[in-house]
Amino acid sequence: AQSVTQLGSHVSVSEGALVLLRCNYSSSVPPYLFWYVQYPNQGLQLLLKYTSAATLVKGINGFEAEFKKSETSFHLTKPSAHMSDAAEYFCAVKTGANNLFFGTGTRLTVIP
Amino acid sequence: GAGVSQSPSNKVTEKGKDVELRCDPISGHTALYWYRQSLGQGLEFLIYFQGNSAPDKSGLPSDRFSAERTGGSVSTLTIQRTQQEDSAVYLCASSPGLAGGSTDTQYFGPGTRLTVL
């Protein structure tokens, strides 16, 4: 079975500060991991994905995530937050099944 | 259009009525997914279509929910005898459906917000 845990349903950072959104997964087989972003009243947009190549994955809008097998983590980071980063972020895992298993999401607020 | 489209964007219905939600996937994508996003529940998988294969219905919460995909393109999710707990945003996604496609990116539509009174 597979699952995803996102620690912190709400995260607030100041503009220009580091963004760190946490994601831990549980999987009995090597996982594929995804981060999606959802802006208000919009669908989900892929930020980045880990597919067993490089463990450090770079995505759009300056985000990146590092796959750490020993910690079963795939945390999302961005060095400097912008106001436009305010959104809800979802971590998801796929382990050969057809569908994605999503975490419950983290709402990011950026304080000017 | 270039992306996944869904209609209607909003649907308000009365308890007990049937509703149909439509999804137009990206042209050429053979895989299509339905998810439900409920307040406090996150995103739940409902059903998956791949080409002409039998759909994976393992996520459908009850027999009131069904979906079909005509001609390998447009899909309709039907909820019969709606209940208040069916209120949610229903999201559709499509992917290229490449061979061994576990790494396929799923492209999501904007969703249909269903409110059952």
Side-chain angles (χ1 to χ4, degrees), chain A residues 32 34 36 38 41-44 46 49 51 90 94 96 98-100 102 104, chain B residues 33 35 37 42-43 45 48 56 91 101-106 108-110 113:
Chain A
Y32 299 114
F34 303 76
Y36 280 84
Q38 187 177 32
N41 299 315
Q42 296 187 26
L44 279 74
L46 181 71
K49 63 181 180 182
T51 59
F90 293 91
K94 195 175 184 188
N98 299 320
N99 52 293
L100 292 168
F102 284 90
T104 51
Chain B
Y33 310 76
Y35 293 87
Q37 186 175 22
L43 282 141
F45 164 74
Y48 161 74
D56 174 358
L91 293 168
S102 285
T103 62
D104 267 4
T105 295
Q106 294 183 23
F108 284 79
R113 182 175 298 278

PDB file of all heavy atoms in Angstrom, chain A residues 32 34 36 38 41-44 46 49 51 90 94 96 98-100 102 104, chain B residues 33 35 37 42-43 45 48 56 91 101-106 108-110 113:
ATOM      1  N   TYR A  32       7.141   6.616  -7.603  1.00  0.00           N
ATOM      2  CA  TYR A  32       7.266   7.826  -8.401  1.00  0.00           C
ATOM      3  C   TYR A  32       6.544   8.916  -7.612  1.00  0.00           C
ATOM      4  O   TYR A  32       5.443   8.699  -7.111  1.00  0.00           O
ATOM      5  CB  TYR A  32       6.635   7.655  -9.778  1.00  0.00           C
ATOM      6  CG  TYR A  32       7.278   6.558 -10.585  1.00  0.00           C
ATOM      7  CD1 TYR A  32       6.574   5.415 -10.929  1.00  0.00           C
ATOM      8  CD2 TYR A  32       8.606   6.657 -10.991  1.00  0.00           C
ATOM      9  CE1 TYR A  32       7.162   4.389 -11.657  1.00  0.00           C
ATOM     10  CE2 TYR A  32       9.207   5.639 -11.717  1.00  0.00           C
ATOM     11  CZ  TYR A  32       8.487   4.510 -12.051  1.00  0.00           C
ATOM     12  OH  TYR A  32       9.065   3.497 -12.759  1.00  0.00           O
ATOM     13  N   PHE A  34       5.384  13.114  -7.083  1.00  0.00           N
ATOM     14  CA  PHE A  34       4.964  14.311  -7.816  1.00  0.00           C
ATOM     15  C   PHE A  34       4.613  15.421  -6.829  1.00  0.00           C
ATOM     16  O   PHE A  34       4.121  15.153  -5.733  1.00  0.00           O
ATOM     17  CB  PHE A  34       3.718  14.010  -8.659  1.00  0.00           C
ATOM     18  CG  PHE A  34       3.860  12.872  -9.641  1.00  0.00           C
ATOM     19  CD1 PHE A  34       3.824  11.558  -9.210  1.00  0.00           C
ATOM     20  CD2 PHE A  34       4.016  13.133 -10.992  1.00  0.00           C
ATOM     21  CE1 PHE A  34       3.950  10.501 -10.116  1.00  0.00           C
ATOM     22  CE2 PHE A  34       4.140  12.089 -11.905  1.00  0.00           C
ATOM     23  CZ  PHE A  34       4.106  10.769 -11.462  1.00  0.00           C
ATOM     24  N   TYR A  36       2.222  18.870  -7.122  1.00  0.00           N
ATOM     25  CA  TYR A  36       1.303  19.674  -7.918  1.00  0.00           C
ATOM     26  C   TYR A  36       0.963  20.945  -7.143  1.00  0.00           C
ATOM     27  O   TYR A  36       0.943  20.951  -5.902  1.00  0.00           O
ATOM     28  CB  TYR A  36      -0.003  18.919  -8.190  1.00  0.00           C
ATOM     29  CG  TYR A  36       0.056  17.904  -9.308  1.00  0.00           C
ATOM     30  CD1 TYR A  36       0.524  16.617  -9.081  1.00  0.00           C
ATOM     31  CD2 TYR A  36      -0.374  18.242 -10.591  1.00  0.00           C
ATOM     32  CE1 TYR A  36       0.562  15.685 -10.108  1.00  0.00           C
ATOM     33  CE2 TYR A  36      -0.338  17.310 -11.620  1.00  0.00           C
ATOM     34  CZ  TYR A  36       0.132  16.038 -11.375  1.00  0.00           C
ATOM     35  OH  TYR A  36       0.160  15.116 -12.401  1.00  0.00           O
ATOM     36  N   GLN A  38      -2.033  24.091  -6.894  1.00  0.00           N
ATOM     37  CA  GLN A  38      -3.392  24.486  -7.264  1.00  0.00           C
ATOM     38  C   GLN A  38      -3.624  25.925  -6.861  1.00  0.00           C
ATOM     39  O   GLN A  38      -3.661  26.248  -5.668  1.00  0.00           O
ATOM     40  CB  GLN A  38      -4.419  23.567  -6.606  1.00  0.00           C
ATOM     41  CG  GLN A  38      -5.845  23.806  -7.083  1.00  0.00           C
ATOM     42  CD  GLN A  38      -6.837  22.821  -6.470  1.00  0.00           C
ATOM     43  OE1 GLN A  38      -6.670  22.378  -5.342  1.00  0.00           O
ATOM     44  NE2 GLN A  38      -7.866  22.474  -7.222  1.00  0.00           N
ATOM     45  N   ASN A  41      -9.426  28.408  -7.624  1.00  0.00           N
ATOM     46  CA  ASN A  41     -10.401  28.164  -8.704  1.00  0.00           C
ATOM     47  C   ASN A  41      -9.761  27.638  -9.978  1.00  0.00           C
ATOM     48  O   ASN A  41     -10.290  27.855 -11.077  1.00  0.00           O
ATOM     49  CB  ASN A  41     -11.182  29.448  -9.002  1.00  0.00           C
ATOM     50  CG  ASN A  41     -11.945  29.926  -7.791  1.00  0.00           C
ATOM     51  OD1 ASN A  41     -12.598  29.143  -7.106  1.00  0.00           O
ATOM     52  ND2 ASN A  41     -11.829  31.209  -7.483  1.00  0.00           N
ATOM     53  N   GLN A  42      -8.647  26.976  -9.839  1.00  0.00           N
ATOM     54  CA  GLN A  42      -7.996  26.363 -10.994  1.00  0.00           C
ATOM     55  C   GLN A  42      -7.724  24.894 -10.731  1.00  0.00           C
ATOM     56  O   GLN A  42      -7.791  24.426  -9.595  1.00  0.00           O
ATOM     57  CB  GLN A  42      -6.691  27.083 -11.318  1.00  0.00           C
ATOM     58  CG  GLN A  42      -6.872  28.526 -11.751  1.00  0.00           C
ATOM     59  CD  GLN A  42      -5.567  29.144 -12.219  1.00  0.00           C
ATOM     60  OE1 GLN A  42      -4.659  28.447 -12.678  1.00  0.00           O
ATOM     61  NE2 GLN A  42      -5.465  30.454 -12.090  1.00  0.00           N
ATOM     62  N   GLY A  43      -7.399  24.170 -11.794  1.00  0.00           N
ATOM     63  CA  GLY A  43      -7.019  22.776 -11.646  1.00  0.00           C
ATOM     64  C   GLY A  43      -5.591  22.653 -11.148  1.00  0.00           C
ATOM     65  O   GLY A  43      -4.910  23.640 -10.890  1.00  0.00           O
ATOM     66  N   LEU A  44      -5.147  21.427 -10.999  1.00  0.00           N
ATOM     67  CA  LEU A  44      -3.793  21.166 -10.520  1.00  0.00           C
ATOM     68  C   LEU A  44      -2.793  21.277 -11.666  1.00  0.00           C
ATOM     69  O   LEU A  44      -3.049  20.827 -12.782  1.00  0.00           O
ATOM     70  CB  LEU A  44      -3.705  19.770  -9.915  1.00  0.00           C
ATOM     71  CG  LEU A  44      -4.204  19.614  -8.489  1.00  0.00           C
ATOM     72  CD1 LEU A  44      -5.713  19.649  -8.433  1.00  0.00           C
ATOM     73  CD2 LEU A  44      -3.683  18.320  -7.873  1.00  0.00           C
ATOM     74  N   LEU A  46       1.318  20.508 -12.634  1.00  0.00           N
ATOM     75  CA  LEU A  46       2.505  19.792 -12.191  1.00  0.00           C
ATOM     76  C   LEU A  46       3.661  20.763 -11.967  1.00  0.00           C
ATOM     77  O   LEU A  46       3.987  21.571 -12.837  1.00  0.00           O
ATOM     78  CB  LEU A  46       2.912  18.749 -13.232  1.00  0.00           C
ATOM     79  CG  LEU A  46       4.141  17.919 -12.869  1.00  0.00           C
ATOM     80  CD1 LEU A  46       3.808  16.942 -11.742  1.00  0.00           C
ATOM     81  CD2 LEU A  46       4.681  17.166 -14.083  1.00  0.00           C
ATOM     82  N   LYS A  49       8.441  16.186 -10.897  1.00  0.00           N
ATOM     83  CA  LYS A  49       8.219  14.774 -10.593  1.00  0.00           C
ATOM     84  C   LYS A  49       9.543  14.043 -10.489  1.00  0.00           C
ATOM     85  O   LYS A  49      10.529  14.394 -11.150  1.00  0.00           O
ATOM     86  CB  LYS A  49       7.330  14.117 -11.650  1.00  0.00           C
ATOM     87  CG  LYS A  49       7.903  14.075 -13.063  1.00  0.00           C
ATOM     88  CD  LYS A  49       6.888  13.420 -14.015  1.00  0.00           C
ATOM     89  CE  LYS A  49       7.425  13.367 -15.433  1.00  0.00           C
ATOM     90  NZ  LYS A  49       6.420  12.766 -16.381  1.00  0.00           N
ATOM     91  N   THR A  51      11.269  10.380 -10.984  1.00  0.00           N
ATOM     92  CA  THR A  51      10.993   9.139 -11.709  1.00  0.00           C
ATOM     93  C   THR A  51      12.183   8.200 -11.674  1.00  0.00           C
ATOM     94  O   THR A  51      12.440   7.483 -12.630  1.00  0.00           O
ATOM     95  CB  THR A  51      10.608   9.434 -13.160  1.00  0.00           C
ATOM     96  OG1 THR A  51      11.707  10.145 -13.776  1.00  0.00           O
ATOM     97  CG2 THR A  51       9.364  10.272 -13.250  1.00  0.00           C
ATOM     98  N   PHE A  90       0.200  20.048  -3.393  1.00  0.00           N
ATOM     99  CA  PHE A  90      -0.124  18.649  -3.132  1.00  0.00           C
ATOM    100  C   PHE A  90       1.041  17.759  -3.539  1.00  0.00           C
ATOM    101  O   PHE A  90       1.556  17.863  -4.658  1.00  0.00           O
ATOM    102  CB  PHE A  90      -1.363  18.209  -3.925  1.00  0.00           C
ATOM    103  CG  PHE A  90      -2.632  18.862  -3.488  1.00  0.00           C
ATOM    104  CD1 PHE A  90      -3.057  20.050  -4.074  1.00  0.00           C
ATOM    105  CD2 PHE A  90      -3.404  18.293  -2.493  1.00  0.00           C
ATOM    106  CE1 PHE A  90      -4.245  20.653  -3.673  1.00  0.00           C
ATOM    107  CE2 PHE A  90      -4.593  18.885  -2.081  1.00  0.00           C
ATOM    108  CZ  PHE A  90      -4.996  20.066  -2.676  1.00  0.00           C
ATOM    109  N   LYS A  94       2.903   7.488  -6.824  1.00  0.00           N
ATOM    110  CA  LYS A  94       2.381   6.496  -7.757  1.00  0.00           C
ATOM    111  C   LYS A  94       3.359   5.341  -7.758  1.00  0.00           C
ATOM    112  O   LYS A  94       4.559   5.543  -7.856  1.00  0.00           O
ATOM    113  CB  LYS A  94       2.279   7.100  -9.152  1.00  0.00           C
ATOM    114  CG  LYS A  94       1.433   6.332 -10.133  1.00  0.00           C
ATOM    115  CD  LYS A  94       1.334   7.133 -11.427  1.00  0.00           C
ATOM    116  CE  LYS A  94       0.408   6.448 -12.406  1.00  0.00           C
ATOM    117  NZ  LYS A  94       0.445   7.093 -13.732  1.00  0.00           N
ATOM    118  N   GLY A  96       3.010   2.265  -9.656  1.00  0.00           N
ATOM    119  CA  GLY A  96       2.641   1.286 -10.657  1.00  0.00           C
ATOM    120  C   GLY A  96       1.146   1.166 -10.835  1.00  0.00           C
ATOM    121  O   GLY A  96       0.687   0.717 -11.867  1.00  0.00           O
ATOM    122  N   ASN A  98      -2.575   2.736 -11.428  1.00  0.00           N
ATOM    123  CA  ASN A  98      -2.929   3.707 -12.446  1.00  0.00           C
ATOM    124  C   ASN A  98      -3.114   5.108 -11.902  1.00  0.00           C
ATOM    125  O   ASN A  98      -2.984   6.078 -12.634  1.00  0.00           O
ATOM    126  CB  ASN A  98      -4.221   3.259 -13.134  1.00  0.00           C
ATOM    127  CG  ASN A  98      -4.031   1.922 -13.813  1.00  0.00           C
ATOM    128  OD1 ASN A  98      -3.001   1.665 -14.415  1.00  0.00           O
ATOM    129  ND2 ASN A  98      -5.023   1.061 -13.690  1.00  0.00           N
ATOM    130  N   ASN A  99      -3.473   5.210 -10.631  1.00  0.00           N
ATOM    131  CA  ASN A  99      -3.849   6.506 -10.112  1.00  0.00           C
ATOM    132  C   ASN A  99      -2.797   7.081  -9.172  1.00  0.00           C
ATOM    133  O   ASN A  99      -1.918   6.385  -8.701  1.00  0.00           O
ATOM    134  CB  ASN A  99      -5.178   6.393  -9.366  1.00  0.00           C
ATOM    135  CG  ASN A  99      -5.151   5.280  -8.327  1.00  0.00           C
ATOM    136  OD1 ASN A  99      -5.072   4.112  -8.673  1.00  0.00           O
ATOM    137  ND2 ASN A  99      -5.187   5.650  -7.061  1.00  0.00           N
ATOM    138  N   LEU A 100      -2.927   8.370  -8.934  1.00  0.00           N
ATOM    139  CA  LEU A 100      -2.089   9.057  -7.967  1.00  0.00           C
ATOM    140  C   LEU A 100      -2.748   9.018  -6.592  1.00  0.00           C
ATOM    141  O   LEU A 100      -3.959   9.172  -6.477  1.00  0.00           O
ATOM    142  CB  LEU A 100      -1.902  10.517  -8.388  1.00  0.00           C
ATOM    143  CG  LEU A 100      -1.092  10.779  -9.655  1.00  0.00           C
ATOM    144  CD1 LEU A 100      -1.257  12.224 -10.100  1.00  0.00           C
ATOM    145  CD2 LEU A 100       0.371  10.456  -9.425  1.00  0.00           C
ATOM    146  N   PHE A 102      -2.798  11.161  -3.305  1.00  0.00           N
ATOM    147  CA  PHE A 102      -2.441  12.523  -2.924  1.00  0.00           C
ATOM    148  C   PHE A 102      -2.379  12.691  -1.415  1.00  0.00           C
ATOM    149  O   PHE A 102      -3.136  12.052  -0.677  1.00  0.00           O
ATOM    150  CB  PHE A 102      -3.476  13.513  -3.467  1.00  0.00           C
ATOM    151  CG  PHE A 102      -3.364  13.782  -4.938  1.00  0.00           C
ATOM    152  CD1 PHE A 102      -4.066  13.009  -5.847  1.00  0.00           C
ATOM    153  CD2 PHE A 102      -2.579  14.818  -5.411  1.00  0.00           C
ATOM    154  CE1 PHE A 102      -3.971  13.256  -7.210  1.00  0.00           C
ATOM    155  CE2 PHE A 102      -2.483  15.075  -6.770  1.00  0.00           C
ATOM    156  CZ  PHE A 102      -3.176  14.296  -7.673  1.00  0.00           C
ATOM    157  N   THR A 104      -2.942  15.496   1.753  1.00  0.00           N
ATOM    158  CA  THR A 104      -4.090  16.361   2.022  1.00  0.00           C
ATOM    159  C   THR A 104      -3.833  17.818   1.684  1.00  0.00           C
ATOM    160  O   THR A 104      -4.730  18.644   1.801  1.00  0.00           O
ATOM    161  CB  THR A 104      -4.515  16.256   3.484  1.00  0.00           C
ATOM    162  OG1 THR A 104      -3.368  16.452   4.313  1.00  0.00           O
ATOM    163  CG2 THR A 104      -5.108  14.873   3.776  1.00  0.00           C
TER     164      THR A 104
ATOM    165  N   TYR B  33      -8.648  10.154 -16.124  1.00  0.00           N
ATOM    166  CA  TYR B  33      -8.868   9.882 -14.710  1.00  0.00           C
ATOM    167  C   TYR B  33      -9.930  10.834 -14.173  1.00  0.00           C
ATOM    168  O   TYR B  33     -10.005  11.992 -14.595  1.00  0.00           O
ATOM    169  CB  TYR B  33      -7.593  10.143 -13.897  1.00  0.00           C
ATOM    170  CG  TYR B  33      -6.339   9.496 -14.421  1.00  0.00           C
ATOM    171  CD1 TYR B  33      -5.673  10.018 -15.524  1.00  0.00           C
ATOM    172  CD2 TYR B  33      -5.801   8.377 -13.799  1.00  0.00           C
ATOM    173  CE1 TYR B  33      -4.511   9.440 -16.001  1.00  0.00           C
ATOM    174  CE2 TYR B  33      -4.631   7.801 -14.263  1.00  0.00           C
ATOM    175  CZ  TYR B  33      -3.995   8.335 -15.364  1.00  0.00           C
ATOM    176  OH  TYR B  33      -2.839   7.755 -15.830  1.00  0.00           O
ATOM    177  N   TYR B  35     -11.104  12.338 -10.347  1.00  0.00           N
ATOM    178  CA  TYR B  35     -10.801  12.465  -8.928  1.00  0.00           C
ATOM    179  C   TYR B  35     -11.875  13.324  -8.275  1.00  0.00           C
ATOM    180  O   TYR B  35     -12.553  14.111  -8.935  1.00  0.00           O
ATOM    181  CB  TYR B  35      -9.451  13.149  -8.704  1.00  0.00           C
ATOM    182  CG  TYR B  35      -8.235  12.374  -9.150  1.00  0.00           C
ATOM    183  CD1 TYR B  35      -7.779  12.461 -10.468  1.00  0.00           C
ATOM    184  CD2 TYR B  35      -7.528  11.572  -8.257  1.00  0.00           C
ATOM    185  CE1 TYR B  35      -6.659  11.756 -10.885  1.00  0.00           C
ATOM    186  CE2 TYR B  35      -6.395  10.872  -8.668  1.00  0.00           C
ATOM    187  CZ  TYR B  35      -5.974  10.975  -9.979  1.00  0.00           C
ATOM    188  OH  TYR B  35      -4.856  10.278 -10.381  1.00  0.00           O
ATOM    189  N   GLN B  37     -12.377  16.051  -5.008  1.00  0.00           N
ATOM    190  CA  GLN B  37     -11.690  16.864  -4.015  1.00  0.00           C
ATOM    191  C   GLN B  37     -12.733  17.408  -3.056  1.00  0.00           C
ATOM    192  O   GLN B  37     -13.525  18.271  -3.411  1.00  0.00           O
ATOM    193  CB  GLN B  37     -10.921  18.006  -4.690  1.00  0.00           C
ATOM    194  CG  GLN B  37     -10.058  18.816  -3.743  1.00  0.00           C
ATOM    195  CD  GLN B  37      -9.213  19.851  -4.473  1.00  0.00           C
ATOM    196  OE1 GLN B  37      -9.518  20.255  -5.583  1.00  0.00           O
ATOM    197  NE2 GLN B  37      -8.116  20.267  -3.852  1.00  0.00           N
ATOM    198  N   GLY B  42      -9.104  15.893   0.933  1.00  0.00           N
ATOM    199  CA  GLY B  42      -8.068  15.846  -0.081  1.00  0.00           C
ATOM    200  C   GLY B  42      -8.605  15.311  -1.385  1.00  0.00           C
ATOM    201  O   GLY B  42      -9.808  15.324  -1.650  1.00  0.00           O
ATOM    202  N   LEU B  43      -7.702  14.815  -2.196  1.00  0.00           N
ATOM    203  CA  LEU B  43      -8.043  14.324  -3.523  1.00  0.00           C
ATOM    204  C   LEU B  43      -8.150  12.803  -3.497  1.00  0.00           C
ATOM    205  O   LEU B  43      -7.234  12.113  -3.103  1.00  0.00           O
ATOM    206  CB  LEU B  43      -6.965  14.728  -4.522  1.00  0.00           C
ATOM    207  CG  LEU B  43      -7.031  16.168  -4.975  1.00  0.00           C
ATOM    208  CD1 LEU B  43      -5.651  16.753  -5.108  1.00  0.00           C
ATOM    209  CD2 LEU B  43      -7.766  16.258  -6.292  1.00  0.00           C
ATOM    210  N   PHE B  45      -9.033   9.321  -5.773  1.00  0.00           N
ATOM    211  CA  PHE B  45      -9.183   8.713  -7.075  1.00  0.00           C
ATOM    212  C   PHE B  45     -10.556   8.067  -7.189  1.00  0.00           C
ATOM    213  O   PHE B  45     -11.038   7.430  -6.249  1.00  0.00           O
ATOM    214  CB  PHE B  45      -8.094   7.656  -7.253  1.00  0.00           C
ATOM    215  CG  PHE B  45      -8.328   6.688  -8.372  1.00  0.00           C
ATOM    216  CD1 PHE B  45      -8.150   7.094  -9.687  1.00  0.00           C
ATOM    217  CD2 PHE B  45      -8.718   5.389  -8.113  1.00  0.00           C
ATOM    218  CE1 PHE B  45      -8.355   6.192 -10.724  1.00  0.00           C
ATOM    219  CE2 PHE B  45      -8.928   4.487  -9.143  1.00  0.00           C
ATOM    220  CZ  PHE B  45      -8.743   4.890 -10.453  1.00  0.00           C
ATOM    221  N   TYR B  48     -10.449   5.250 -13.691  1.00  0.00           N
ATOM    222  CA  TYR B  48      -9.385   5.413 -14.680  1.00  0.00           C
ATOM    223  C   TYR B  48      -9.744   4.667 -15.954  1.00  0.00           C
ATOM    224  O   TYR B  48     -10.174   3.510 -15.896  1.00  0.00           O
ATOM    225  CB  TYR B  48      -8.085   4.879 -14.097  1.00  0.00           C
ATOM    226  CG  TYR B  48      -6.975   4.537 -15.067  1.00  0.00           C
ATOM    227  CD1 TYR B  48      -6.249   5.536 -15.687  1.00  0.00           C
ATOM    228  CD2 TYR B  48      -6.645   3.213 -15.335  1.00  0.00           C
ATOM    229  CE1 TYR B  48      -5.208   5.225 -16.554  1.00  0.00           C
ATOM    230  CE2 TYR B  48      -5.616   2.896 -16.200  1.00  0.00           C
ATOM    231  CZ  TYR B  48      -4.893   3.899 -16.805  1.00  0.00           C
ATOM    232  OH  TYR B  48      -3.865   3.595 -17.664  1.00  0.00           O
ATOM    233  N   ASP B  56     -10.686   0.996 -14.623  1.00  0.00           N
ATOM    234  CA  ASP B  56     -10.398   0.691 -13.226  1.00  0.00           C
ATOM    235  C   ASP B  56     -11.365   1.508 -12.378  1.00  0.00           C
ATOM    236  O   ASP B  56     -11.197   2.709 -12.234  1.00  0.00           O
ATOM    237  CB  ASP B  56      -8.949   1.063 -12.917  1.00  0.00           C
ATOM    238  CG  ASP B  56      -8.583   0.908 -11.447  1.00  0.00           C
ATOM    239  OD1 ASP B  56      -9.455   0.536 -10.625  1.00  0.00           O
ATOM    240  OD2 ASP B  56      -7.426   1.172 -11.097  1.00  0.00           O
ATOM    241  N   LEU B  91     -12.610  16.539 -10.361  1.00  0.00           N
ATOM    242  CA  LEU B  91     -11.513  16.865 -11.258  1.00  0.00           C
ATOM    243  C   LEU B  91     -11.281  15.736 -12.243  1.00  0.00           C
ATOM    244  O   LEU B  91     -11.306  14.562 -11.884  1.00  0.00           O
ATOM    245  CB  LEU B  91     -10.228  17.100 -10.461  1.00  0.00           C
ATOM    246  CG  LEU B  91     -10.207  18.336  -9.566  1.00  0.00           C
ATOM    247  CD1 LEU B  91      -9.025  18.282  -8.620  1.00  0.00           C
ATOM    248  CD2 LEU B  91     -10.134  19.602 -10.394  1.00  0.00           C
ATOM    249  N   GLY B 101       3.452   3.467 -18.365  1.00  0.00           N
ATOM    250  CA  GLY B 101       3.252   4.896 -18.107  1.00  0.00           C
ATOM    251  C   GLY B 101       3.150   5.331 -16.675  1.00  0.00           C
ATOM    252  O   GLY B 101       2.455   6.294 -16.392  1.00  0.00           O
ATOM    253  N   SER B 102       3.848   4.689 -15.755  1.00  0.00           N
ATOM    254  CA  SER B 102       3.751   5.136 -14.374  1.00  0.00           C
ATOM    255  C   SER B 102       4.309   6.529 -14.190  1.00  0.00           C
ATOM    256  O   SER B 102       3.959   7.213 -13.241  1.00  0.00           O
ATOM    257  CB  SER B 102       4.489   4.177 -13.448  1.00  0.00           C
ATOM    258  OG  SER B 102       3.747   2.999 -13.276  1.00  0.00           O
ATOM    259  N   THR B 103       5.174   6.979 -15.078  1.00  0.00           N
ATOM    260  CA  THR B 103       5.758   8.296 -14.924  1.00  0.00           C
ATOM    261  C   THR B 103       5.031   9.348 -15.745  1.00  0.00           C
ATOM    262  O   THR B 103       5.451  10.491 -15.797  1.00  0.00           O
ATOM    263  CB  THR B 103       7.240   8.286 -15.329  1.00  0.00           C
ATOM    264  OG1 THR B 103       7.330   7.924 -16.717  1.00  0.00           O
ATOM    265  CG2 THR B 103       8.022   7.281 -14.518  1.00  0.00           C
ATOM    266  N   ASP B 104       3.946   8.926 -16.416  1.00  0.00           N
ATOM    267  CA  ASP B 104       3.151   9.890 -17.173  1.00  0.00           C
ATOM    268  C   ASP B 104       2.730  11.057 -16.309  1.00  0.00           C
ATOM    269  O   ASP B 104       2.276  10.876 -15.176  1.00  0.00           O
ATOM    270  CB  ASP B 104       1.862   9.216 -17.673  1.00  0.00           C
ATOM    271  CG  ASP B 104       2.002   8.632 -19.057  1.00  0.00           C
ATOM    272  OD1 ASP B 104       3.114   8.675 -19.593  1.00  0.00           O
ATOM    273  OD2 ASP B 104       0.993   8.144 -19.569  1.00  0.00           O
ATOM    274  N   THR B 105       2.817  12.248 -16.851  1.00  0.00           N
ATOM    275  CA  THR B 105       2.267  13.412 -16.170  1.00  0.00           C
ATOM    276  C   THR B 105       0.764  13.453 -16.422  1.00  0.00           C
ATOM    277  O   THR B 105       0.325  13.311 -17.562  1.00  0.00           O
ATOM    278  CB  THR B 105       2.916  14.698 -16.686  1.00  0.00           C
ATOM    279  OG1 THR B 105       4.292  14.691 -16.334  1.00  0.00           O
ATOM    280  CG2 THR B 105       2.234  15.922 -16.081  1.00  0.00           C
ATOM    281  N   GLN B 106      -0.004  13.640 -15.369  1.00  0.00           N
ATOM    282  CA  GLN B 106      -1.433  13.830 -15.507  1.00  0.00           C
ATOM    283  C   GLN B 106      -1.731  15.320 -15.583  1.00  0.00           C
ATOM    284  O   GLN B 106      -1.258  16.096 -14.755  1.00  0.00           O
ATOM    285  CB  GLN B 106      -2.174  13.185 -14.337  1.00  0.00           C
ATOM    286  CG  GLN B 106      -2.040  11.662 -14.327  1.00  0.00           C
ATOM    287  CD  GLN B 106      -2.814  11.005 -13.220  1.00  0.00           C
ATOM    288  OE1 GLN B 106      -3.788  11.556 -12.686  1.00  0.00           O
ATOM    289  NE2 GLN B 106      -2.414   9.805 -12.847  1.00  0.00           N
ATOM    290  N   PHE B 108      -4.542  18.186 -15.429  1.00  0.00           N
ATOM    291  CA  PHE B 108      -5.845  18.330 -14.795  1.00  0.00           C
ATOM    292  C   PHE B 108      -6.678  19.438 -15.423  1.00  0.00           C
ATOM    293  O   PHE B 108      -6.155  20.482 -15.827  1.00  0.00           O
ATOM    294  CB  PHE B 108      -5.681  18.632 -13.302  1.00  0.00           C
ATOM    295  CG  PHE B 108      -5.313  17.427 -12.497  1.00  0.00           C
ATOM    296  CD1 PHE B 108      -4.011  16.962 -12.463  1.00  0.00           C
ATOM    297  CD2 PHE B 108      -6.275  16.749 -11.766  1.00  0.00           C
ATOM    298  CE1 PHE B 108      -3.664  15.841 -11.721  1.00  0.00           C
ATOM    299  CE2 PHE B 108      -5.940  15.624 -11.015  1.00  0.00           C
ATOM    300  CZ  PHE B 108      -4.630  15.171 -11.002  1.00  0.00           C
ATOM    301  N   GLY B 109      -7.974  19.213 -15.452  1.00  0.00           N
ATOM    302  CA  GLY B 109      -8.918  20.246 -15.809  1.00  0.00           C
ATOM    303  C   GLY B 109      -9.228  21.132 -14.620  1.00  0.00           C
ATOM    304  O   GLY B 109      -8.769  20.862 -13.502  1.00  0.00           O
ATOM    305  N   PRO B 110     -10.025  22.190 -14.826  1.00  0.00           N
ATOM    306  CA  PRO B 110     -10.332  23.140 -13.754  1.00  0.00           C
ATOM    307  C   PRO B 110     -11.344  22.621 -12.744  1.00  0.00           C
ATOM    308  O   PRO B 110     -11.519  23.206 -11.683  1.00  0.00           O
ATOM    309  CB  PRO B 110     -10.880  24.349 -14.494  1.00  0.00           C
ATOM    310  CG  PRO B 110     -11.449  23.777 -15.748  1.00  0.00           C
ATOM    311  CD  PRO B 110     -10.584  22.609 -16.119  1.00  0.00           C
ATOM    312  N   ARG B 113     -17.510  22.117  -9.683  1.00  0.00           N
ATOM    313  CA  ARG B 113     -17.911  22.220  -8.274  1.00  0.00           C
ATOM    314  C   ARG B 113     -19.366  21.803  -8.162  1.00  0.00           C
ATOM    315  O   ARG B 113     -20.242  22.465  -8.714  1.00  0.00           O
ATOM    316  CB  ARG B 113     -17.718  23.641  -7.755  1.00  0.00           C
ATOM    317  CG  ARG B 113     -18.082  23.785  -6.268  1.00  0.00           C
ATOM    318  CD  ARG B 113     -17.751  25.180  -5.763  1.00  0.00           C
ATOM    319  NE  ARG B 113     -16.336  25.467  -5.845  1.00  0.00           N
ATOM    320  CZ  ARG B 113     -15.435  25.091  -4.947  1.00  0.00           C
ATOM    321  NH1 ARG B 113     -15.815  24.411  -3.878  1.00  0.00           N
ATOM    322  NH2 ARG B 113     -14.167  25.418  -5.106  1.00  0.00           N
TER     323      ARG B 113
END
